[in-house]
Amino acid sequence: MPIATDLKNQTLMDLRQKLQEAMRANDQEAFTQAFEGVLQYYASRNLEDFQMLREETDSRVLAQRGVRQLTAKEKDYYQKLGDAMKSADPRQAVNNLDVVMPETVFDAIFENIEADHSLLSAVNFMNTRGAIRMMMNTHGYQRAAWGKLCAPIIQEITSGFKEVETGLFKLSAFIPVCRAMLDLGPEWLDRYVRMILAEALLNGWEYAIAGGTGKDEPIGMNRQVGEEVSVTGGVYPEKVPIAVSDFSPATMGNLASLLAVDPIGRARRADGLILVVNPQDYYQRVMPATTVQAPDGTYRNDVFPIPLRVIQSPAKPRGRATLGIARLYWAFAGMSRDGRIEYSDEYHFLEDERVYLIKTYGNGMPADNNAFLELDISGLTPARYKVTLVEESAPSGDAALSDLRVGSLSLSPAFSGTTTSYTASTTNATNTINAMPSNAAAAIRVTVNGTEIDNGTAASWQDGSNTVEVTVTAEDGKTSRSYTVTVTKSNV
């Protein structure tokens, strides 16, 4: 099956970019057209490789060329599947198969996805192999407890774990198969099926991890999570982006400090950081901002003041980036319970192909609301050197907050960056204060009843009225704004 003329000069990355754009725009026609291009790409690649190797029968040679050697169970499955697909009535023949896809096939697909794709290999992407529930450590860091094993210690240790549904959502993949593909034999049918499934899972999961809404799909890194978050119609609200104009040590240190504390004020390691950006944004914005020239005249790319891995993803919209702790995104994927491929007439791609459907299941979510930050990189400037005579850009005068939380207390009125005075009521002895700047370079100072505390730590309340003051000082060192929350603590 030759690649269509208008697809010859397109790379697989181009096709993936079109797929992600169609998914974000919910454009069914554009999605079908882009996915057809991906299918033709892999079908042509598979047929061309077969033609090149048809005279080479040594299994070791085939293995070196990427043709996986099948187990007896896998070969039996593909032989029966191929015979059913060749029948005059493939719907009945396929649906009546007495064999199902072996789990080892899905394991091989899973291994390929993790090995070949940066975003999925960076996060906690797990093959559940049919498990429907798993325990997740929401703290990301847990220490052992010395002393007597009493109820408070047990509660402290177990509070960091919760049970999550791993098979909550369905991810369907469509596999167009032409008769020529069936004539190649079990090994090549396996190779083609794994290629298509890996590509479908990659695009579906990459979209979900980068920006899933939580409604009938996983929750993306760019979404707010937590018990205090208001979910509307199943959709989790997007994080308010923090404006970033450079990747200087001060800016990156400020951002990393926001990740280095969990939502209830406990410190944790902000290591294993990733920065997820659109491929075009990488070359137009991130690369110029992180490239320096060495004394020998060569250039060094991706130079950050802290250890960081840049991941290019077509699923990320232009002008936005996600910074976070990769291990604190949890994704669970598994094969359908019965492992069956079904005949499908839901989509029609090419005239000489029959389309089949296979269902996988999974779920995904950030471990907590502080695990990832959404960044606005539309104003990112190229790296500057002190030895170069360039006019320094004016420091930001933005002294606003993008978010202010006092534990799970309800602020009155609802928080707005332009409103500076609030009230709240509690019966708690303490609550954690989290203040997020609108601009990453701004500094934040928090006081409770005149005593300074660290941002992201717990405030202790006295009976009656308590005054929380959050002072934001802009990058220019002159502009400042104070937010006041009057917290009334009662015993009833």
Side-chain angles (χ1 to χ4, degrees), residues 68 101-117 120-121 123-130 134 193-195 197-199 201-202 205 330-335 360-363:
R68 191 170 68 96
M101 178 180 285
E103 286 186 345
T104 51
V105 174
F106 188 78
D107 292 343
I109 295 169
F110 196 91
E111 290 169 3
N112 289 342
I113 290 175
E114 286 194 298
D116 297 341
H117 303 293
L120 277 68
S121 64
V123 302
N124 264 320
F125 190 53
M126 292 173 286
N127 181 2
T128 64
R129 300 198 69 178
M134 294 189 72
V193 167
R194 287 187 296 107
M195 281 179 173
L197 283 181
E199 188 65 29
L201 291 174
L202 161 70
W205 271 107
W330 295 74
F332 314 92
M335 192 169 63
T360 64
Y361 292 84
N363 200 356

mmCIF file of all heavy atoms in Angstrom, residues 68 101-117 120-121 123-130 134 193-195 197-199 201-202 205 330-335 360-363:
data_model
loop_
_atom_site.group_PDB
_atom_site.id
_atom_site.type_symbol
_atom_site.label_atom_id
_atom_site.label_comp_id
_atom_site.label_asym_id
_atom_site.label_seq_id
_atom_site.Cartn_x
_atom_site.Cartn_y
_atom_site.Cartn_z
ATOM 1 N N ARG A 68 9.187 -9.236 15.586
ATOM 2 C CA ARG A 68 9.155 -9.963 16.849
ATOM 3 C C ARG A 68 8.810 -11.434 16.610
ATOM 4 O O ARG A 68 7.911 -11.751 15.832
ATOM 5 C CB ARG A 68 8.115 -9.337 17.781
ATOM 6 C CG ARG A 68 8.172 -9.825 19.215
ATOM 7 C CD ARG A 68 7.280 -8.967 20.082
ATOM 8 N NE ARG A 68 5.886 -9.166 19.767
ATOM 9 C CZ ARG A 68 5.067 -9.995 20.428
ATOM 10 N NH1 ARG A 68 5.541 -10.700 21.439
ATOM 11 N NH2 ARG A 68 3.804 -10.116 20.098
ATOM 12 N N MET A 101 -6.750 -12.084 22.168
ATOM 13 C CA MET A 101 -5.389 -11.563 22.080
ATOM 14 C C MET A 101 -4.608 -11.881 23.362
ATOM 15 O O MET A 101 -5.036 -11.509 24.458
ATOM 16 C CB MET A 101 -5.407 -10.049 21.860
ATOM 17 C CG MET A 101 -4.020 -9.428 21.798
ATOM 18 S SD MET A 101 -4.057 -7.634 21.549
ATOM 19 C CE MET A 101 -4.494 -7.549 19.810
ATOM 20 N N PRO A 102 -3.485 -12.564 23.255
ATOM 21 C CA PRO A 102 -2.692 -12.863 24.459
ATOM 22 C C PRO A 102 -2.205 -11.576 25.137
ATOM 23 O O PRO A 102 -1.913 -10.580 24.472
ATOM 24 C CB PRO A 102 -1.513 -13.671 23.901
ATOM 25 C CG PRO A 102 -1.990 -14.204 22.589
ATOM 26 C CD PRO A 102 -2.919 -13.156 22.045
ATOM 27 N N GLU A 103 -2.129 -11.618 26.451
ATOM 28 C CA GLU A 103 -1.670 -10.445 27.194
ATOM 29 C C GLU A 103 -0.245 -10.060 26.814
ATOM 30 O O GLU A 103 0.145 -8.905 26.917
ATOM 31 C CB GLU A 103 -1.746 -10.707 28.698
ATOM 32 C CG GLU A 103 -3.163 -10.678 29.259
ATOM 33 C CD GLU A 103 -3.166 -10.801 30.774
ATOM 34 O OE1 GLU A 103 -2.130 -11.195 31.346
ATOM 35 O OE2 GLU A 103 -4.205 -10.492 31.381
ATOM 36 N N THR A 104 0.545 -11.043 26.352
ATOM 37 C CA THR A 104 1.938 -10.748 25.978
ATOM 38 C C THR A 104 2.014 -9.790 24.793
ATOM 39 O O THR A 104 2.989 -9.052 24.653
ATOM 40 C CB THR A 104 2.673 -12.048 25.638
ATOM 41 O OG1 THR A 104 1.902 -12.793 24.683
ATOM 42 C CG2 THR A 104 2.892 -12.887 26.883
ATOM 43 N N VAL A 105 0.982 -9.789 23.929
ATOM 44 C CA VAL A 105 0.959 -8.844 22.805
ATOM 45 C C VAL A 105 0.804 -7.422 23.340
ATOM 46 O O VAL A 105 1.519 -6.506 22.926
ATOM 47 C CB VAL A 105 -0.177 -9.182 21.823
ATOM 48 C CG1 VAL A 105 -0.275 -8.107 20.728
ATOM 49 C CG2 VAL A 105 0.044 -10.553 21.207
ATOM 50 N N PHE A 106 -0.133 -7.243 24.271
ATOM 51 C CA PHE A 106 -0.323 -5.912 24.848
ATOM 52 C C PHE A 106 0.911 -5.487 25.641
ATOM 53 O O PHE A 106 1.290 -4.317 25.635
ATOM 54 C CB PHE A 106 -1.550 -5.897 25.755
ATOM 55 C CG PHE A 106 -1.929 -4.514 26.231
ATOM 56 C CD1 PHE A 106 -2.600 -3.643 25.396
ATOM 57 C CD2 PHE A 106 -1.600 -4.086 27.509
ATOM 58 C CE1 PHE A 106 -2.938 -2.375 25.822
ATOM 59 C CE2 PHE A 106 -1.930 -2.818 27.939
ATOM 60 C CZ PHE A 106 -2.613 -1.962 27.087
ATOM 61 N N ASP A 107 1.563 -6.438 26.311
ATOM 62 C CA ASP A 107 2.790 -6.113 27.037
ATOM 63 C C ASP A 107 3.851 -5.579 26.087
ATOM 64 O O ASP A 107 4.570 -4.629 26.405
ATOM 65 C CB ASP A 107 3.332 -7.358 27.764
ATOM 66 C CG ASP A 107 2.432 -7.792 28.910
ATOM 67 O OD1 ASP A 107 1.591 -6.979 29.342
ATOM 68 O OD2 ASP A 107 2.561 -8.944 29.361
ATOM 69 N N ALA A 108 3.967 -6.199 24.903
ATOM 70 C CA ALA A 108 4.952 -5.745 23.916
ATOM 71 C C ALA A 108 4.608 -4.353 23.404
ATOM 72 O O ALA A 108 5.494 -3.512 23.211
ATOM 73 C CB ALA A 108 5.013 -6.736 22.751
ATOM 74 N N ILE A 109 3.324 -4.089 23.182
ATOM 75 C CA ILE A 109 2.888 -2.746 22.762
ATOM 76 C C ILE A 109 3.248 -1.734 23.837
ATOM 77 O O ILE A 109 3.766 -0.648 23.560
ATOM 78 C CB ILE A 109 1.365 -2.740 22.511
ATOM 79 C CG1 ILE A 109 1.011 -3.655 21.336
ATOM 80 C CG2 ILE A 109 0.862 -1.324 22.248
ATOM 81 C CD1 ILE A 109 -0.472 -3.921 21.193
ATOM 82 N N PHE A 110 2.965 -2.089 25.075
ATOM 83 C CA PHE A 110 3.224 -1.204 26.212
ATOM 84 C C PHE A 110 4.710 -0.875 26.317
ATOM 85 O O PHE A 110 5.092 0.281 26.536
ATOM 86 C CB PHE A 110 2.739 -1.902 27.479
ATOM 87 C CG PHE A 110 2.590 -1.005 28.666
ATOM 88 C CD1 PHE A 110 1.391 -0.378 28.928
ATOM 89 C CD2 PHE A 110 3.650 -0.789 29.525
ATOM 90 C CE1 PHE A 110 1.242 0.456 30.023
ATOM 91 C CE2 PHE A 110 3.526 0.038 30.621
ATOM 92 C CZ PHE A 110 2.319 0.655 30.877
ATOM 93 N N GLU A 111 5.563 -1.895 26.138
ATOM 94 C CA GLU A 111 7.014 -1.682 26.212
ATOM 95 C C GLU A 111 7.484 -0.749 25.104
ATOM 96 O O GLU A 111 8.347 0.106 25.316
ATOM 97 C CB GLU A 111 7.736 -3.022 26.120
ATOM 98 C CG GLU A 111 7.548 -3.900 27.353
ATOM 99 C CD GLU A 111 8.039 -5.316 27.135
ATOM 100 O OE1 GLU A 111 8.567 -5.583 26.032
ATOM 101 O OE2 GLU A 111 7.884 -6.154 28.039
ATOM 102 N N ASN A 112 6.929 -0.892 23.899
ATOM 103 C CA ASN A 112 7.308 -0.027 22.786
ATOM 104 C C ASN A 112 6.919 1.419 23.060
ATOM 105 O O ASN A 112 7.666 2.351 22.766
ATOM 106 C CB ASN A 112 6.646 -0.501 21.489
ATOM 107 C CG ASN A 112 7.230 -1.801 20.986
ATOM 108 O OD1 ASN A 112 8.319 -2.190 21.395
ATOM 109 N ND2 ASN A 112 6.507 -2.485 20.126
ATOM 110 N N ILE A 113 5.718 1.617 23.614
ATOM 111 C CA ILE A 113 5.255 2.971 23.913
ATOM 112 C C ILE A 113 6.191 3.641 24.922
ATOM 113 O O ILE A 113 6.608 4.787 24.747
ATOM 114 C CB ILE A 113 3.813 2.936 24.464
ATOM 115 C CG1 ILE A 113 2.831 2.555 23.357
ATOM 116 C CG2 ILE A 113 3.428 4.291 25.047
ATOM 117 C CD1 ILE A 113 1.409 2.387 23.842
ATOM 118 N N GLU A 114 6.513 2.932 25.990
ATOM 119 C CA GLU A 114 7.383 3.502 27.024
ATOM 120 C C GLU A 114 8.779 3.788 26.492
ATOM 121 O O GLU A 114 9.399 4.790 26.845
ATOM 122 C CB GLU A 114 7.464 2.545 28.210
ATOM 123 C CG GLU A 114 6.216 2.502 29.060
ATOM 124 C CD GLU A 114 6.475 1.828 30.385
ATOM 125 O OE1 GLU A 114 6.833 0.639 30.372
ATOM 126 O OE2 GLU A 114 6.331 2.482 31.429
ATOM 127 N N ALA A 115 9.278 2.909 25.616
ATOM 128 C CA ALA A 115 10.645 3.071 25.125
ATOM 129 C C ALA A 115 10.750 4.190 24.103
ATOM 130 O O ALA A 115 11.770 4.876 24.028
ATOM 131 C CB ALA A 115 11.129 1.757 24.513
ATOM 132 N N ASP A 116 9.709 4.388 23.294
ATOM 133 C CA ASP A 116 9.804 5.291 22.143
ATOM 134 C C ASP A 116 9.277 6.693 22.395
ATOM 135 O O ASP A 116 9.566 7.603 21.621
ATOM 136 C CB ASP A 116 9.044 4.696 20.949
ATOM 137 C CG ASP A 116 9.654 3.378 20.484
ATOM 138 O OD1 ASP A 116 10.820 3.129 20.831
ATOM 139 O OD2 ASP A 116 8.956 2.614 19.803
ATOM 140 N N HIS A 117 8.508 6.929 23.441
ATOM 141 C CA HIS A 117 7.827 8.208 23.585
ATOM 142 C C HIS A 117 8.144 8.851 24.935
ATOM 143 O O HIS A 117 7.905 8.270 25.987
ATOM 144 C CB HIS A 117 6.324 8.027 23.401
ATOM 145 C CG HIS A 117 5.985 7.418 22.065
ATOM 146 N ND1 HIS A 117 6.196 8.072 20.888
ATOM 147 C CD2 HIS A 117 5.480 6.202 21.734
ATOM 148 C CE1 HIS A 117 5.823 7.294 19.882
ATOM 149 N NE2 HIS A 117 5.400 6.154 20.366
ATOM 150 N N LEU A 120 5.249 9.599 27.910
ATOM 151 C CA LEU A 120 4.730 8.408 28.572
ATOM 152 C C LEU A 120 5.801 7.673 29.358
ATOM 153 O O LEU A 120 5.513 7.028 30.364
ATOM 154 C CB LEU A 120 4.082 7.473 27.550
ATOM 155 C CG LEU A 120 2.633 7.806 27.170
ATOM 156 C CD1 LEU A 120 2.550 9.103 26.386
ATOM 157 C CD2 LEU A 120 1.999 6.680 26.376
ATOM 158 N N SER A 121 7.056 7.763 28.916
ATOM 159 C CA SER A 121 8.133 7.108 29.660
ATOM 160 C C SER A 121 8.520 7.913 30.893
ATOM 161 O O SER A 121 9.098 7.371 31.841
ATOM 162 C CB SER A 121 9.356 6.917 28.766
ATOM 163 O OG SER A 121 9.900 8.158 28.359
ATOM 164 N N VAL A 123 6.343 9.792 32.973
ATOM 165 C CA VAL A 123 5.376 9.728 34.065
ATOM 166 C C VAL A 123 5.262 8.300 34.582
ATOM 167 O O VAL A 123 5.841 7.365 34.033
ATOM 168 C CB VAL A 123 3.994 10.241 33.605
ATOM 169 C CG1 VAL A 123 4.109 11.667 33.100
ATOM 170 C CG2 VAL A 123 3.405 9.348 32.515
ATOM 171 N N ASN A 124 4.472 8.119 35.632
ATOM 172 C CA ASN A 124 4.205 6.783 36.172
ATOM 173 C C ASN A 124 3.133 6.116 35.317
ATOM 174 O O ASN A 124 1.948 6.117 35.654
ATOM 175 C CB ASN A 124 3.730 6.884 37.624
ATOM 176 C CG ASN A 124 4.853 6.685 38.603
ATOM 177 O OD1 ASN A 124 5.712 5.838 38.404
ATOM 178 N ND2 ASN A 124 4.869 7.473 39.667
ATOM 179 N N PHE A 125 3.552 5.561 34.190
ATOM 180 C CA PHE A 125 2.633 4.935 33.234
ATOM 181 C C PHE A 125 2.716 3.429 33.442
ATOM 182 O O PHE A 125 3.741 2.811 33.168
ATOM 183 C CB PHE A 125 3.039 5.314 31.808
ATOM 184 C CG PHE A 125 2.046 4.921 30.754
ATOM 185 C CD1 PHE A 125 0.716 5.291 30.845
ATOM 186 C CD2 PHE A 125 2.456 4.173 29.658
ATOM 187 C CE1 PHE A 125 -0.194 4.937 29.865
ATOM 188 C CE2 PHE A 125 1.548 3.809 28.667
ATOM 189 C CZ PHE A 125 0.222 4.193 28.774
ATOM 190 N N MET A 126 1.634 2.823 33.958
ATOM 191 C CA MET A 126 1.687 1.434 34.408
ATOM 192 C C MET A 126 0.724 0.541 33.648
ATOM 193 O O MET A 126 -0.418 0.936 33.378
ATOM 194 C CB MET A 126 1.381 1.356 35.906
ATOM 195 C CG MET A 126 2.468 1.978 36.774
ATOM 196 S SD MET A 126 1.983 2.037 38.505
ATOM 197 C CE MET A 126 0.802 3.380 38.450
ATOM 198 N N ASN A 127 1.195 -0.645 33.316
ATOM 199 C CA ASN A 127 0.377 -1.674 32.688
ATOM 200 C C ASN A 127 -0.332 -2.449 33.787
ATOM 201 O O ASN A 127 0.298 -3.181 34.544
ATOM 202 C CB ASN A 127 1.265 -2.598 31.855
ATOM 203 C CG ASN A 127 0.488 -3.677 31.146
ATOM 204 O OD1 ASN A 127 -0.733 -3.748 31.229
ATOM 205 N ND2 ASN A 127 1.200 -4.531 30.433
ATOM 206 N N THR A 128 -1.644 -2.291 33.894
ATOM 207 C CA THR A 128 -2.382 -2.931 34.996
ATOM 208 C C THR A 128 -2.703 -4.387 34.712
ATOM 209 O O THR A 128 -3.070 -5.121 35.616
ATOM 210 C CB THR A 128 -3.698 -2.184 35.261
ATOM 211 O OG1 THR A 128 -4.546 -2.302 34.109
ATOM 212 C CG2 THR A 128 -3.432 -0.729 35.567
ATOM 213 N N ARG A 129 -2.643 -4.791 33.421
ATOM 214 C CA ARG A 129 -2.923 -6.179 33.027
ATOM 215 C C ARG A 129 -4.243 -6.667 33.608
ATOM 216 O O ARG A 129 -4.350 -7.776 34.133
ATOM 217 C CB ARG A 129 -1.800 -7.115 33.442
ATOM 218 C CG ARG A 129 -0.467 -6.771 32.838
ATOM 219 C CD ARG A 129 0.499 -7.911 32.897
ATOM 220 N NE ARG A 129 0.104 -9.001 31.999
ATOM 221 C CZ ARG A 129 0.811 -10.107 31.828
ATOM 222 N NH1 ARG A 129 1.939 -10.282 32.480
ATOM 223 N NH2 ARG A 129 0.397 -11.047 31.003
ATOM 224 N N GLY A 130 -5.269 -5.800 33.541
ATOM 225 C CA GLY A 130 -6.603 -6.217 33.963
ATOM 226 C C GLY A 130 -6.982 -5.810 35.365
ATOM 227 O O GLY A 130 -8.147 -5.931 35.745
ATOM 228 N N MET A 134 -6.041 0.170 42.186
ATOM 229 C CA MET A 134 -4.666 0.182 42.674
ATOM 230 C C MET A 134 -4.553 1.214 43.782
ATOM 231 O O MET A 134 -5.320 2.170 43.852
ATOM 232 C CB MET A 134 -3.680 0.505 41.546
ATOM 233 C CG MET A 134 -3.602 -0.568 40.466
ATOM 234 S SD MET A 134 -2.274 -0.301 39.288
ATOM 235 C CE MET A 134 -0.845 -0.704 40.291
ATOM 236 N N VAL A 193 -0.416 -4.754 13.675
ATOM 237 C CA VAL A 193 -1.394 -4.495 14.738
ATOM 238 C C VAL A 193 -0.746 -3.741 15.892
ATOM 239 O O VAL A 193 -1.297 -2.778 16.434
ATOM 240 C CB VAL A 193 -2.015 -5.824 15.229
ATOM 241 C CG1 VAL A 193 -2.791 -5.615 16.531
ATOM 242 C CG2 VAL A 193 -2.939 -6.402 14.162
ATOM 243 N N ARG A 194 0.471 -4.160 16.266
ATOM 244 C CA ARG A 194 1.153 -3.474 17.372
ATOM 245 C C ARG A 194 1.520 -2.032 17.006
ATOM 246 O O ARG A 194 1.460 -1.140 17.843
ATOM 247 C CB ARG A 194 2.399 -4.259 17.792
ATOM 248 C CG ARG A 194 2.085 -5.542 18.547
ATOM 249 C CD ARG A 194 3.318 -6.220 19.105
ATOM 250 N NE ARG A 194 4.231 -6.682 18.073
ATOM 251 C CZ ARG A 194 5.401 -6.090 17.809
ATOM 252 N NH1 ARG A 194 5.784 -5.023 18.497
ATOM 253 N NH2 ARG A 194 6.184 -6.560 16.843
ATOM 254 N N MET A 195 1.925 -1.799 15.745
ATOM 255 C CA MET A 195 2.234 -0.438 15.301
ATOM 256 C C MET A 195 1.009 0.476 15.445
ATOM 257 O O MET A 195 1.093 1.585 15.987
ATOM 258 C CB MET A 195 2.681 -0.446 13.837
ATOM 259 C CG MET A 195 4.107 -0.862 13.590
ATOM 260 S SD MET A 195 4.443 -0.832 11.806
ATOM 261 C CE MET A 195 6.215 -1.152 11.802
ATOM 262 N N LEU A 197 -1.848 -0.022 17.171
ATOM 263 C CA LEU A 197 -2.298 0.138 18.556
ATOM 264 C C LEU A 197 -1.381 1.062 19.341
ATOM 265 O O LEU A 197 -1.841 1.895 20.124
ATOM 266 C CB LEU A 197 -2.371 -1.228 19.239
ATOM 267 C CG LEU A 197 -3.576 -2.096 18.897
ATOM 268 C CD1 LEU A 197 -3.518 -3.404 19.683
ATOM 269 C CD2 LEU A 197 -4.874 -1.370 19.190
ATOM 270 N N ALA A 198 -0.067 0.926 19.140
ATOM 271 C CA ALA A 198 0.874 1.795 19.843
ATOM 272 C C ALA A 198 0.641 3.254 19.461
ATOM 273 O O ALA A 198 0.655 4.138 20.322
ATOM 274 C CB ALA A 198 2.312 1.389 19.538
ATOM 275 N N GLU A 199 0.415 3.512 18.169
ATOM 276 C CA GLU A 199 0.189 4.890 17.724
ATOM 277 C C GLU A 199 -1.117 5.443 18.282
ATOM 278 O O GLU A 199 -1.191 6.592 18.729
ATOM 279 C CB GLU A 199 0.166 4.945 16.189
ATOM 280 C CG GLU A 199 0.128 6.347 15.619
ATOM 281 C CD GLU A 199 1.390 7.139 15.925
ATOM 282 O OE1 GLU A 199 2.465 6.533 16.065
ATOM 283 O OE2 GLU A 199 1.291 8.377 16.047
ATOM 284 N N LEU A 201 -2.743 4.418 21.028
ATOM 285 C CA LEU A 201 -2.598 4.616 22.474
ATOM 286 C C LEU A 201 -1.726 5.826 22.774
ATOM 287 O O LEU A 201 -2.012 6.607 23.691
ATOM 288 C CB LEU A 201 -2.000 3.366 23.117
ATOM 289 C CG LEU A 201 -2.894 2.122 23.148
ATOM 290 C CD1 LEU A 201 -2.125 0.926 23.668
ATOM 291 C CD2 LEU A 201 -4.123 2.371 24.004
ATOM 292 N N LEU A 202 -0.645 5.994 21.987
ATOM 293 C CA LEU A 202 0.238 7.135 22.198
ATOM 294 C C LEU A 202 -0.521 8.439 22.081
ATOM 295 O O LEU A 202 -0.472 9.297 22.971
ATOM 296 C CB LEU A 202 1.376 7.116 21.181
ATOM 297 C CG LEU A 202 2.104 8.462 20.985
ATOM 298 C CD1 LEU A 202 2.921 8.800 22.220
ATOM 299 C CD2 LEU A 202 2.964 8.447 19.746
ATOM 300 N N TRP A 205 -3.271 8.812 24.865
ATOM 301 C CA TRP A 205 -2.717 9.066 26.192
ATOM 302 C C TRP A 205 -1.971 10.399 26.251
ATOM 303 O O TRP A 205 -2.041 11.104 27.265
ATOM 304 C CB TRP A 205 -1.794 7.923 26.605
ATOM 305 C CG TRP A 205 -2.537 6.834 27.305
ATOM 306 C CD1 TRP A 205 -2.853 5.596 26.839
ATOM 307 C CD2 TRP A 205 -3.100 6.906 28.624
ATOM 308 N NE1 TRP A 205 -3.568 4.891 27.772
ATOM 309 C CE2 TRP A 205 -3.728 5.667 28.885
ATOM 310 C CE3 TRP A 205 -3.132 7.900 29.598
ATOM 311 C CZ2 TRP A 205 -4.378 5.400 30.076
ATOM 312 C CZ3 TRP A 205 -3.769 7.632 30.800
ATOM 313 C CH2 TRP A 205 -4.380 6.392 31.025
ATOM 314 N N TRP A 330 0.054 9.887 37.538
ATOM 315 C CA TRP A 330 -0.205 8.450 37.549
ATOM 316 C C TRP A 330 -1.121 8.089 36.384
ATOM 317 O O TRP A 330 -2.202 8.665 36.222
ATOM 318 C CB TRP A 330 -0.876 8.039 38.861
ATOM 319 C CG TRP A 330 -0.003 8.225 40.050
ATOM 320 C CD1 TRP A 330 0.325 9.413 40.649
ATOM 321 C CD2 TRP A 330 0.679 7.216 40.791
ATOM 322 N NE1 TRP A 330 1.163 9.190 41.708
ATOM 323 C CE2 TRP A 330 1.390 7.852 41.823
ATOM 324 C CE3 TRP A 330 0.746 5.830 40.682
ATOM 325 C CZ2 TRP A 330 2.170 7.146 42.737
ATOM 326 C CZ3 TRP A 330 1.506 5.134 41.593
ATOM 327 C CH2 TRP A 330 2.216 5.781 42.608
ATOM 328 N N ALA A 331 -0.690 7.140 35.550
ATOM 329 C CA ALA A 331 -1.497 6.664 34.430
ATOM 330 C C ALA A 331 -1.551 5.148 34.480
ATOM 331 O O ALA A 331 -0.534 4.487 34.682
ATOM 332 C CB ALA A 331 -0.899 7.137 33.103
ATOM 333 N N PHE A 332 -2.754 4.609 34.320
ATOM 334 C CA PHE A 332 -2.957 3.168 34.371
ATOM 335 C C PHE A 332 -3.592 2.731 33.053
ATOM 336 O O PHE A 332 -4.609 3.291 32.640
ATOM 337 C CB PHE A 332 -3.893 2.781 35.524
ATOM 338 C CG PHE A 332 -3.570 3.467 36.827
ATOM 339 C CD1 PHE A 332 -4.182 4.665 37.171
ATOM 340 C CD2 PHE A 332 -2.664 2.912 37.701
ATOM 341 C CE1 PHE A 332 -3.886 5.301 38.368
ATOM 342 C CE2 PHE A 332 -2.370 3.539 38.904
ATOM 343 C CZ PHE A 332 -2.977 4.735 39.237
ATOM 344 N N ALA A 333 -3.032 1.743 32.392
ATOM 345 C CA ALA A 333 -3.578 1.265 31.127
ATOM 346 C C ALA A 333 -3.643 -0.251 31.139
ATOM 347 O O ALA A 333 -2.768 -0.918 31.683
ATOM 348 C CB ALA A 333 -2.715 1.739 29.959
ATOM 349 N N GLY A 334 -4.682 -0.785 30.529
ATOM 350 C CA GLY A 334 -4.828 -2.236 30.456
ATOM 351 C C GLY A 334 -5.656 -2.642 29.255
ATOM 352 O O GLY A 334 -6.392 -1.834 28.688
ATOM 353 N N MET A 335 -5.534 -3.892 28.872
ATOM 354 C CA MET A 335 -6.287 -4.425 27.743
ATOM 355 C C MET A 335 -7.719 -4.720 28.176
ATOM 356 O O MET A 335 -7.998 -4.929 29.358
ATOM 357 C CB MET A 335 -5.613 -5.697 27.228
ATOM 358 C CG MET A 335 -6.125 -6.200 25.899
ATOM 359 S SD MET A 335 -5.058 -7.512 25.225
ATOM 360 C CE MET A 335 -5.246 -8.768 26.497
ATOM 361 N N THR A 360 -9.245 -0.652 24.921
ATOM 362 C CA THR A 360 -8.370 -0.690 26.089
ATOM 363 C C THR A 360 -8.994 0.190 27.169
ATOM 364 O O THR A 360 -9.900 0.978 26.898
ATOM 365 C CB THR A 360 -6.954 -0.184 25.756
ATOM 366 O OG1 THR A 360 -7.045 1.203 25.374
ATOM 367 C CG2 THR A 360 -6.347 -0.970 24.622
ATOM 368 N N TYR A 361 -8.507 0.032 28.377
ATOM 369 C CA TYR A 361 -9.075 0.771 29.499
ATOM 370 C C TYR A 361 -7.967 1.459 30.286
ATOM 371 O O TYR A 361 -6.824 1.021 30.281
ATOM 372 C CB TYR A 361 -9.860 -0.174 30.425
ATOM 373 C CG TYR A 361 -11.116 -0.715 29.787
ATOM 374 C CD1 TYR A 361 -11.069 -1.826 28.961
ATOM 375 C CD2 TYR A 361 -12.335 -0.093 29.990
ATOM 376 C CE1 TYR A 361 -12.224 -2.315 28.349
ATOM 377 C CE2 TYR A 361 -13.492 -0.571 29.394
ATOM 378 C CZ TYR A 361 -13.430 -1.684 28.578
ATOM 379 O OH TYR A 361 -14.565 -2.143 27.972
ATOM 380 N N GLY A 362 -8.316 2.537 30.959
ATOM 381 C CA GLY A 362 -7.305 3.209 31.759
ATOM 382 C C GLY A 362 -7.838 4.426 32.475
ATOM 383 O O GLY A 362 -9.003 4.821 32.330
ATOM 384 N N ASN A 363 -6.965 5.031 33.228
ATOM 385 C CA ASN A 363 -7.278 6.249 33.971
ATOM 386 C C ASN A 363 -5.961 6.948 34.259
ATOM 387 O O ASN A 363 -4.888 6.330 34.202
ATOM 388 C CB ASN A 363 -8.014 5.919 35.275
ATOM 389 C CG ASN A 363 -8.773 7.114 35.834
ATOM 390 O OD1 ASN A 363 -8.684 8.211 35.285
ATOM 391 N ND2 ASN A 363 -9.509 6.916 36.904
#
